[in-house]
Amino acid sequence: MKIENINIPLMISGNLIENINLNDNYYRMRIKAPQIARKAKPGQFVMLSMWKNKDPFLKRPFSFYGIESDSGTFDILYKEIGKGTQIMAKSKAGDLVELIGPLGNGFKIPENTNNIAVVARGIGIAALMPLILESKKRGIAIYAFLSAQTGNLLLCSNEINSISEKVFYTTDDGSKGAKGMVTNFLQNVLKEEVIDVVYVCGSKRLTKHIRNLQRKYNFLAFVSLEEHMACGIGACKGCVHKTNDGYKRVCKEGPIFPVEEVIFDD
Ligand SMILES: Cc1cc2nc3c(=O)[nH]c(=O)nc-3n(C[C@H](O)[C@H](O)[C@H](O)COP(=O)(O)OP(=O)(O)OC[C@H]3O[C@@H](n4cnc5c(N)ncnc54)[C@H](O)[C@@H]3O)c2cc1C
Ligand code: FES
């Protein structure tokens, strides 16, 4: 049996093809790793390291932002926030990348889905992008609800605009779209359209709002959760999140969970 056909995560080295600074602290990285690119699905992620002498010690998790199985590459959209991502930001084409993946369960698109809503805050759009492209391929209408601190941090907005039925923006400073909660727009759409599934990624607050709307309008909803991860493969239990079915490992049972299952304590 070919190694690509075995459904276990692969631990391999990849090659950095390009690393582009998009905006402020946001970057897009393209990695060549054909075995992983051929198996990756929307909503899954890789654990990655490209630092010497195990400093920092642990790999870091990143969602697949683009998957090109034909060329054997995948993209990561990332925000520079700490030691690991600072090293990533400085890396150059040709650098080696240590990878484990693909990991996690990925998004489900139920049969007979006609309309979906994607709700993203900031870098949360990274996890949703392959789902948006897959939905487009299947002829599903996409309503996108994007929010960020300020207008130039509304990432991928042109691309999403070109393939979505409608796109709604909110920014904290009002520099693009409206100020306030992007879910207010979603509520307006829900009053007029049947949205079969809502997918959300980006903040706890956003997910709680989706849960409230779900109670009122009764749609399927899935969230891509983030927790600090040590192993990424279900072994250390360091990434557990409270659900109404006990604690679940975000890296193994997730990162995609039905919104109604997830419990936030605060
Ligand atoms: C399944 C999954 C998918 C992810 N996908 C992406 C992605 O596509 N793009 C992207 O930019 N980031 C993504 N992240 C977050 C990314 O893993 C972290 O930003 C990264 O690990 C930070 O590493 P660092 O060494 O730069 O920062 P560190 O030095 O480890 O941390 C810097 C600061 O950020 C905080 N922090 C670190 N990780 C997280 C986290 N997961 N949630 C909240 N706060 C955190 C730390 O507490 C600390 O305050 C994902 C996380 C998960 C769990
Ligand atoms: S990170 Fe180790 S179990 Fe999830």
Side-chain angles (χ1 to χ4, degrees):
M1 186 184 282
K2 278 175 130 184
I3 194 156
E4 292 98 287
N5 298 332
I6 303 172
N7 201 17
I8 51 168
L10 301 164
M11 207 173 163
I12 56 170
S13 299
N15 270 300
L16 184 62
I17 301 289
E18 62 180 17
N19 187 32
I20 296 170
N21 180 218
L22 301 175
N23 218 333
D24 293 359
N25 298 334
Y26 292 83
Y27 295 78
R28 181 177 58 72
M29 177 175 272
R30 179 158 296 166
I31 294 169
K32 183 145 188 148
Q35 298 100 314
I36 289 183
R38 280 186 212 124
K39 292 174 73 177
K41 296 194 178 66
Q44 290 190 301
F45 65 98
V46 282
M47 296 294 287
L48 166 164
S49 71
M50 43 199 325
W51 26 91
K52 300 192 172 68
N53 307 322
K54 292 210 175 295
D55 183 22
F57 184 64
L58 299 170
K59 288 187 168 53
R60 303 291 195 244
F62 294 92
S63 305
F64 293 110
Y65 165 66
I67 303 167
E68 286 290 336
S69 46
D70 289 348
S71 60
T73 62
F74 63 85
D75 288 5
I76 283 170
L77 183 71
Y78 68 98
K79 183 179 180 186
E80 181 186 353
I81 61 165
K83 200 166 184 179
T85 47
Q86 275 159 17
I87 296 172
M88 287 165 69
K90 289 196 194 94
S91 58
K92 301 259 177 310
D95 286 355
L96 268 192
V97 192
E98 298 303 326
L99 301 160
I100 307 176
L103 297 166
N105 56 355
F107 287 111
K108 287 191 186 76
I109 306 178
E111 272 181 43
N112 304 322
T113 297
N114 295 313
N115 297 315
I116 63 163
V118 291
V119 187
R121 167 101 186 149
I123 195 73
I125 195 61
L128 293 168
M129 201 62 198
L131 170 82
I132 293 173
L133 296 174
E134 177 63 27
S135 301
K136 179 72 187 165
K137 224 192 278 174
R138 295 191 196 183
I140 295 169
I142 299 148
Y143 293 80
F145 301 84
L146 310 178
S147 81
Q149 278 173 350
T150 185
N152 67 347
L153 300 183
L154 286 164
L155 304 166
C156 336
S157 57
N158 289 341
E159 192 178 0
I160 294 173
N161 220 348
S162 68
I163 56 177
S164 299
E165 199 70 19
K166 281 187 184 154
V167 186
F168 302 87
Y169 303 102
T170 56
T171 46
D172 300 351
D173 62 3
S175 54
K176 179 159 180 176
K179 269 190 174 185
M181 284 304 293
V182 78
T183 43
N184 294 339
F185 287 118
L186 175 59
Q187 178 153 20
N188 291 340
V189 170
L190 287 165
K191 285 176 189 163
E192 288 169 13
E193 305 277 348
V194 176
I195 299 289
D196 300 308
V197 197
V198 175
Y199 300 92
V200 57
C201 185
S203 89
K204 206 188 279 185
R205 184 161 166 247
L206 208 51
T207 310
K208 286 180 178 175
H209 279 279
I210 298 296
R211 178 70 186 124
N212 291 337
L213 288 177
Q214 192 188 31
R215 288 195 180 106
K216 197 164 170 191
Y217 294 95
N218 192 29
F219 48 79
L220 276 176
F222 295 96
V223 57
S224 179
L225 282 187
E226 284 193 13
E227 285 291 343
H228 290 271
M229 290 185 177
C231 71
I233 56 170
C236 73
K237 298 191 172 64
C239 64
V240 292
H241 193 99
K242 202 171 179 179
T243 75
N244 54 19
D245 189 26
Y247 282 92
K248 293 205 173 161
R249 295 165 297 181
V250 171
C251 70
K252 194 75 182 173
E253 286 80 44
I256 316 303
F257 291 92
V259 164
E260 68 276 12
E261 260 190 28
V262 176
I263 297 173
F264 296 112
D265 282 331
D266 44 356

